[in-house]
Amino acid sequence: MTSANVVKVTERDGALLIEMDNPPVNALGIALRRGLMAAFERLARESALKGAVLTGTGRFFSAGADISEFGKTRENPLLPELIAFLEDLGKPVVAAINGQALGGGLELALGCHYRIAAPAARMGLPEVKLGLLPGAGGTQRLPRLIGVERALAMIVTGEPIDAAEAKTLGLVDDVAEGDLIGAAFRLLEGAVARGVRPPRTRDREEKLAAARADSGLIDRIAEPLLKRQRGLPAPRACVEAVRAAVTLPFEEGLKREVELFAQLVNSPESKAQRHIFFAEREAAKLPDMPADVRPREVNKAVVIGAGTMGGGIAMSFANFGIPVWIIDQDHESLDRGLARIRENYQITVSRGSLAADEMEKRLARIHGTTDWSVLAEGDVVIEAVFEELDLKQRIFRMIDEKARPGALLATNTSTLDVNKIAAATSRPEDVLGMHFFSPANVMRLLEIVRASKTSFDAIATAIAIGRRIGKVPAVVGVCDGFVGNRMLHRRTAQAERLLLEGALPQDVDQAVVAFGFPMGPFAMGDLAGLDVGWRIRKARGTKAPISDALCEAGRFGQKTGAGYYRYEKGSRTPIPDPEVERIIIETSKRLGITRRPISAEEITERMIYPMINEGARILEERIAMRASDIDVIWVYGYGWPVWRGGPMYYADQVGLGQIEARLKHYAETLNDETLRPAALLSRLAAEGKGFSSLPVQPIAI
Ligand code: 3HC
Ligand code: NAI
């Protein structure tokens, strides 16, 4: 792409209209930076030109710096130079913010002398989500425009604001209801007519006064914001950079910002977060999908089963404006499900995160029924009944009979064979798995399970639906547990073994939390309920001695006030329980196991490496297309810390040789064949390579 292609410059009544046209998001890569510099230089050079309007084409003003350039040598002009040149130009430039202005895109607008936004525009500095801080003056200019308190909130959380709020805060001068470019030119004309020197954001000091007069203010504002960010370096650096805006002259503040940015961009955390940014977008791309495949149109959904998952799935559709029918077998189950949906919304309203009238709008999109004829209404049908193959096959025969031709037919099964479910219909090409995670209205991961006969346009439709309802789709193949739960199963098995060998639930949970997960496996088990797995094990004739013993003692987890921990009435805080210790020690004894002290290091390795090993097997079997898809699944479905980049990325950082050696060691010392390194892991280790060296592969069908 040349700079002439990505910046369109036209003359209008003695001023320039400069349009950024670098699809898809107007990322400020080198071509765009050069094109903009050329346009600004022309404006400076040609005395007949009185100013300019700067805007973007499409849905974006600009989504910021080109993330793929980070970590490489970047070519001049760099963004800070470009913005400094613009700000000092001496002729007014109006930013006409037509859509999203994020990161460097917003920083560019902050360097303009005036800003006017379309009503649908959104503005934010999301760099912190990539383990970075705004590195093109955002931390110095934003507080000058909107004050330290709001600037800190935007920079430390990375959350964007809308045009109306931007106007209230003084981030934009105006919101244009109609013709944005026309309004921007009128603003420019007014400024030119007044003949004043174009105002530079850097010169505005009045909104810094409060923080300058009160040296404790920044820390008081920052403390609650940082609390939610788990001591990561980027949010702390964001605060330091804003502090520099208050305590240092502008130029020195900028230098401090650049220094902090340079540290962060090379940090392992930011590298991992950038890996996940791109991995998330890759996970729904199939190497074998023909380029002309288009998703089918979806306007209405039908969900079968108003239980935990069905209710959450229906809420996900309603939250994004899609009407949905829920079918259940009888009025009692249906009413219970609908009541739970209302209750869930009410909790969100009472927390202040949802307006009451918005709740009513969402509820109005959800219709409950026991009448199966509504199946004909659905462009997508998602089945979420009990986990029984016979039942699901029966339901799919009914769906086949009643659903309209071309409807997407999905099952939310977590363990059953999607091929067998698809075979119950006369149209297996329309059938796939849409595996949501609990709570389905909150968790962002959506495993899309491609069965052997699923058509490409069915997969494309599931991906499009997933994106529309705010999910992160990852396409996987058919196997027991698919990708996420199959790996989790390895961790669960080791967690239980660790208890038998000498650890206590709190030791294991502490190690997992210290690694960066929000919760350990036992606290999670208590939250989900231990009875579910117990029933499955009884049906399958398998055992998990400690979990079974707890269930036999009536300890089902939080719902009974006791599980691996005990819980005070009305509290969700796990409290270590001597009674559990007694049950564990007794079980070890009964099984003839001599307990031993187990180090935190061993616990962490046994919680993480067996999962990586299973991930390798999943890649060998072509259940996943790429190692990075597995990373996405763990970050969005299981709380893997994003700053560690997912299990397979993490494995590459540790080194596969090291992981292979530790797995061999544990396989031998614990006499556990499941811990033998997968062939793929051993091969890559021998070649000195990582999982990231593997080419993308089509899913085995
Ligand atoms: N740099 C490079 N590529 C980018 C990009 C960026 N800043 N933003 C998006 N893209 C790419 C995506 O990778 C994707 O590529 P693909 O089609 O090949 O997969 C394509 O643009 C479209 O992106 P999405 O699929 O994400 O499109 P959406 O419409 O769903 O979302 C978005 C758009 C909200 C802009 C989202 O892409 C996003 O959040 N982008 C990142 C924004 C950001 O973090 N900006 C700050 C960058 S850091 C910075 O500016 C540093 C500065 O302070 C110096
Ligand atoms: P649930 O027991 O809460 O809900 C099942 C619902 O299906 C009940 O409302 C029941 O009345 C209804 N149902 C049963 N038979 C029916 C029939 N013949 N016709 C219509 N409705 C019928 O179960 P849950 O947890 O929602 O699970 C549903 C599915 O989702 C299962 O396949 C499960 O494996 C899967 N899943 C569950 C997850 C979880 O964490 N609970 C996570 C991901 C998937």
Side-chain angles (χ1 to χ4, degrees):
M1 215 25 109
T2 65
S3 43
N5 287 339
V6 295
V7 179
K8 277 200 270 180
V9 182
T10 36
E11 219 178 303
R12 241 200 223 191
D13 305 330
L16 294 182
L17 173 63
I18 305 171
E19 291 173 282
M20 297 181 273
D21 187 17
N22 186 24
V25 299
N26 286 331
L28 285 152
I30 182 58
L32 185 48
R33 296 200 300 275
R34 281 202 187 122
L36 287 174
M37 195 56 145
F40 297 151
E41 280 170 350
R42 177 178 163 198
L43 182 59
R45 202 173 50 235
E46 293 183 18
S47 53
L49 292 172
K50 52 195 176 200
V53 167
L54 172 63
T55 193
T57 53
R59 287 189 297 130
F60 294 89
F61 179 78
S62 163
D66 184 334
I67 301 165
S68 63
E69 284 184 357
F70 293 149
K72 300 181 189 150
T73 323
R74 277 182 292 153
E75 291 176 60
N76 291 326
L78 297 180
L79 200 49
E81 289 165 32
L82 179 72
I83 295 172
F85 184 86
L86 156 70
E87 195 175 43
D88 279 339
L89 198 70
K91 292 181 185 178
V93 178
V94 177
I97 304 175
N98 53 304
Q100 302 209 47
L102 301 173
L106 180 59
E107 292 173 295
L108 182 63
L110 295 175
C112 292
H113 309 100
Y114 302 95
R115 283 154 296 278
I116 182 164
R122 289 178 78 75
M123 284 148 263
L125 292 173
E127 286 88 341
V128 73
K129 297 185 180 178
L130 297 167
L132 297 170
L133 55 66
T139 65
Q140 307 303 299
R141 289 192 182 87
L142 189 64
R144 284 176 158 79
L145 276 187
I146 68 172
V148 167
E149 181 163 4
R150 290 310 312 259
L152 270 174
M154 281 181 71
I155 295 170
V156 177
T157 65
E159 290 303 318
I161 59 173
D162 62 20
E165 194 174 356
K167 166 118 196 258
T168 313
L169 295 178
L171 175 46
V172 297
D173 301 290
D174 212 349
V175 176
E177 287 301 333
D179 167 22
L180 173 69
I181 302 301
F185 272 102
R186 281 194 295 281
L187 186 67
L188 181 67
E189 288 297 335
V192 171
R194 284 198 303 281
V196 292
R197 186 185 155 78
R200 302 186 307 178
T201 306
R202 57 180 287 168
D203 299 328
R204 297 177 58 170
E205 302 277 303
E206 67 278 5
K207 290 206 174 162
L208 300 178
R212 283 187 173 151
D214 174 355
S215 62
L217 184 69
I218 291 188
D219 287 322
R220 287 202 302 281
I221 300 167
E223 196 208 60
L225 296 169
L226 288 177
K227 223 182 208 164
R228 277 173 255 147
Q229 306 262 7
R230 298 197 56 144
L232 287 174
R236 274 188 282 126
C238 288
V239 175
E240 285 324 303
V242 172
R243 195 191 307 280
V246 174
T247 55
L248 300 175
F250 181 78
E251 286 296 340
E252 283 178 43
L254 270 187
K255 271 196 207 131
R256 183 77 188 117
E257 181 194 82
V258 168
E259 253 167 45
L260 290 165
F261 185 87
Q263 285 167 17
L264 291 175
V265 87
N266 290 315
S267 67
E269 290 86 353
S270 177
K271 285 182 186 156
Q273 282 168 271
R274 275 142 45 200
H275 160 73
I276 288 296
F277 176 83
F278 288 113
E280 175 186 334
R281 285 156 179 82
E282 288 299 299
K285 291 181 191 159
L286 281 70
D288 49 341
M289 176 152 353
D292 59 352
V293 172
R294 294 285 167 273
R296 304 173 190 172
E297 196 175 321
V298 171
N299 298 311
K300 253 189 216 169
V302 175
V303 173
I304 307 174
T308 312
M309 294 307 291
I313 296 168
M315 287 170 78
S316 300
F317 280 98
N319 292 350
F320 287 85
I322 303 171
V324 52
W325 285 97
I326 309 192
I327 308 177
D328 210 308
Q329 53 191 340
D330 51 52
H331 283 289
E332 204 191 324
S333 310
L334 182 67
D335 292 346
R336 200 177 330 119
L338 293 174
R340 186 145 6 107
I341 290 174
R342 178 172 277 277
E343 219 174 273
N344 282 339
Y345 276 130
Q346 258 155 358
I347 293 172
T348 320
V349 170
S350 66
R351 281 203 203 117
S353 328
L354 182 72
D357 63 335
E358 181 56 27
M359 167 178 93
E360 292 304 334
K361 276 192 206 148
R362 293 180 186 190
L363 280 168
R365 294 185 193 119
I366 301 177
H367 314 278
T369 184
T370 54
D371 174 3
W372 292 82
S373 66
V374 300
L375 274 175
E377 303 268 321
D379 302 312
V380 52
V381 177
I382 302 178
E383 166 279 314
V385 302
F386 302 138
E387 187 75 340
E388 291 161 23
L389 183 61
D390 289 355
L391 172 65
K392 289 201 194 266
Q393 286 178 323
R394 191 154 54 77
I395 300 274
F396 268 80
R397 274 194 287 277
M398 183 128 67
I399 296 174
D400 193 23
E401 237 169 66
K402 298 195 185 326
R404 69 162 187 73
L408 180 71
L409 313 181
T411 170
N412 183 45
T413 181
S414 35
T415 54
L416 301 172
D417 184 340
V418 182
N419 284 316
K420 288 187 182 152
I421 295 172
T425 71
S426 63
R427 36 177 147 164
E429 66 280 7
D430 290 336
V431 180
L432 44 64
M434 283 176 84
H435 186 214
F436 291 79
F437 289 72
S438 184
N441 52 316
V442 178
M443 296 301 292
R444 295 201 54 213
L445 177 62
L446 176 64
E447 277 184 333
I448 293 175
V449 187
R450 175 181 182 177
S452 53
K453 294 194 177 151
T454 312
S455 69
F456 282 118
D457 66 318
I459 299 171
T461 308
I463 294 168
I465 293 173
R467 293 230 165 100
R468 225 170 120 191
I469 61 174
K471 303 297 177 201
V472 177
V475 182
V476 301
V478 175
C479 68
D480 189 8
F482 314 123
V483 171
N485 283 347
R486 177 168 158 181
M487 288 166 70
L488 180 68
H489 184 67
R490 295 291 176 202
R491 187 178 87 172
T492 312
Q494 287 303 311
E496 173 95 2
R497 269 203 77 160
L498 283 163
L499 296 190
L500 288 171
E501 290 169 22
L504 293 175
Q506 52 272 31
D507 304 329
V508 177
D509 282 356
Q510 262 161 24
V512 170
V513 170
F515 185 82
F517 280 89
M519 215 185 242
F522 295 115
M524 197 169 101
D526 277 359
L527 178 67
L530 306 181
D531 51 325
V532 186
W534 186 41
R535 263 188 228 114
I536 295 175
R537 285 194 298 278
K538 279 205 281 195
R540 290 184 176 181
T542 56
K543 284 200 183 324
I546 291 169
S547 190
D548 292 348
L550 293 173
C551 287
E552 272 149 30
R555 303 179 70 112
F556 292 170
Q558 284 191 20
K559 58 179 142 185
T560 57
Y564 286 104
Y565 298 92
R566 67 182 182 82
Y567 298 85
E568 302 282 1
K569 217 176 161 50
S571 159
R572 289 175 172 274
T573 310
I575 305 170
D577 189 348
E579 174 61 12
V580 173
E581 190 171 345
R582 195 189 59 73
I583 293 177
I584 291 174
I585 291 172
E586 215 166 70
T587 311
S588 300
K589 201 167 161 196
R590 181 165 53 81
L591 297 174
I593 299 167
T594 312
R595 295 177 66 79
R596 62 182 169 95
I598 301 181
S599 69
E601 192 191 358
E602 175 174 346
I603 295 178
T604 309
E605 287 181 347
R606 287 176 63 189
M607 288 293 88
I608 306 294
Y609 293 179
M611 292 202 317
I612 293 167
N613 202 24
E614 197 61 31
R617 292 191 190 109
I618 282 169
L619 287 169
E620 273 168 5
E621 292 169 29
R622 291 203 281 125
I623 298 295
M625 298 179 286
R626 319 167 177 80
S628 64
D629 296 356
I630 300 178
D631 293 332
V632 170
I633 286 171
W634 271 81
V635 166
Y636 287 104
Y638 299 85
W640 180 285
V642 62
W643 51 273
R644 285 194 196 266
M648 310 317 270
Y649 177 89
Y650 174 75
D652 283 359
Q653 311 312 304
V654 173
L656 299 192
Q658 162 78 2
I659 293 182
E660 189 204 22
R662 298 307 289 160
L663 282 167
K664 267 189 189 151
H665 163 78
Y666 289 124
E668 277 151 27
T669 54
L670 302 170
N671 194 19
D672 183 342
E673 279 310 302
T674 67
L675 298 177
R676 281 263 164 242
L680 176 66
L681 177 61
S682 296
R683 173 169 74 74
L684 290 173
E687 292 169 359
K689 291 184 179 159
F691 290 117
S692 67
S693 69
L694 296 171
V696 53
Q697 56 186 3
I699 285 168
I701 47 172

